[in-house]
Amino acid sequence: MDLQLRGKKAIVTGATKGIGRAIVELLASEGADIGFCARSEDEVEETTRSLQAKGVNVVGGAVNVRDGDAYKAWLTETAAALGGCDVFVPNVSAGGGMDSEKNWWKNFEIDVLHTVRGCETLMDALKASGQGSVVIISSTNAIETFAAPMAYNAMKASLITYAKQLSQFVGKHNVRVNAVSPGPIYFEGGAWEMIKGTNQKFYDSTLRAIPSGRFGVPDEVARVVAFLASPASSLITGANIVADNGFTKGVRY
């Protein structure tokens, strides 16, 4: 299937490792020009070289999305440098943790505010696209009880509601908004590698809950995101696509 992404302009946050890296690599392979950010300048430079090798235009930046002014300025400059924005994937997350109020503020600022600020800053460009697409990264932690009452779980749930309501609000401008909720995803340097090394019992019980007996990998999530980002999914908006290899057990109509 031709995803019709060649020549599209995609902006992705947190794109030097894990799911974010897999997303920009796949979008670039499909011919999309890429704007992306991460906090490490060295990682941004390495990722930029990798993406440029695919023959697309690349604009990378070292940005901390908690700095609202710097982040919004970067988004505006990146969209201008790319010549617009057709696709926005707010991928940065603070991750899980049980440090009480500290984590609630951190997840609110990074997971929620970074997503909202990004959508608001880029919305004019997405409207101008005529085929704008926002793909918000949530989590299966948002749709079923998992582990403990963490800020991460609650804030990821709020993103699903935000995606649905935003999709209704901007649909008349031909901008689609969807969410993707990955289940457990394993990659080097990721949360599940850490959990495997620190809490083998929890890691093993999670693995047993997946029918196929294996964790997902970033490339598998990236394929879902690329489809939703593309004109090939033109009828899909306001959806939350669960990409979890059968990990969650709820029935959803």
Side-chain angles (χ1 to χ4, degrees), residues 195-196 198-208:
I195 292 168
K196 185 177 183 180
T198 59
N199 192 342
Q200 186 71 48
K201 183 177 180 181
F202 180 54
Y203 178 91
D204 290 342
S205 67
T206 302
L207 190 59
R208 287 194 298 270

Side-chain angles (χ1 to χ4, degrees), residues 21-58:
R21 178 63 177 265
I23 290 169
V24 293
E25 292 281 357
L26 180 55
L27 293 178
S29 293
E30 291 289 329
D33 296 328
I34 304 294
F36 76 96
C37 70
R39 287 183 296 175
S40 167
E41 290 188 9
D42 289 344
E43 291 178 1
V44 167
E45 290 176 2
E46 184 276 325
T47 303
T48 297
R49 290 193 296 270
S50 176
L51 298 176
Q52 287 175 333
K54 299 178 184 294
V56 299
N57 295 327
V58 182

Side-chain angles (χ1 to χ4, degrees), residues 87-163:
V87 175
F88 176 49
V89 185
N91 170 69
V92 172
S93 174
M98 291 290 290
D99 297 331
S100 190
E101 192 170 306
K102 173 184 175 181
N103 277 106
W104 287 90
W105 282 111
K106 188 175 181 181
N107 281 105
F108 174 66
E109 288 180 328
I110 295 178
D111 291 73
V112 179
L113 271 186
H114 128 264
T115 298
V116 173
R117 286 168 172 162
C119 290
E120 291 181 349
T121 301
L122 293 173
M123 191 52 64
D124 284 346
L126 289 162
K127 290 176 182 178
S129 163
Q131 292 182 319
S133 178
V134 178
V135 185
I136 293 171
I137 307 300
S138 184
S139 169
T140 52
N141 290 28
I143 62 173
E144 286 192 353
T145 298
F146 182 76
M150 291 184 286
Y152 175 82
N153 302 357
M155 295 303 166
K156 286 298 191 184
S158 75
L159 290 177
I160 296 173
T161 300
Y162 176 67

Side-chain angles (χ1 to χ4, degrees), residues 58-71:
V58 182
V59 179
V63 180
N64 184 342
V65 300
R66 295 182 82 175
D67 184 338
D69 290 340
Y71 170 52

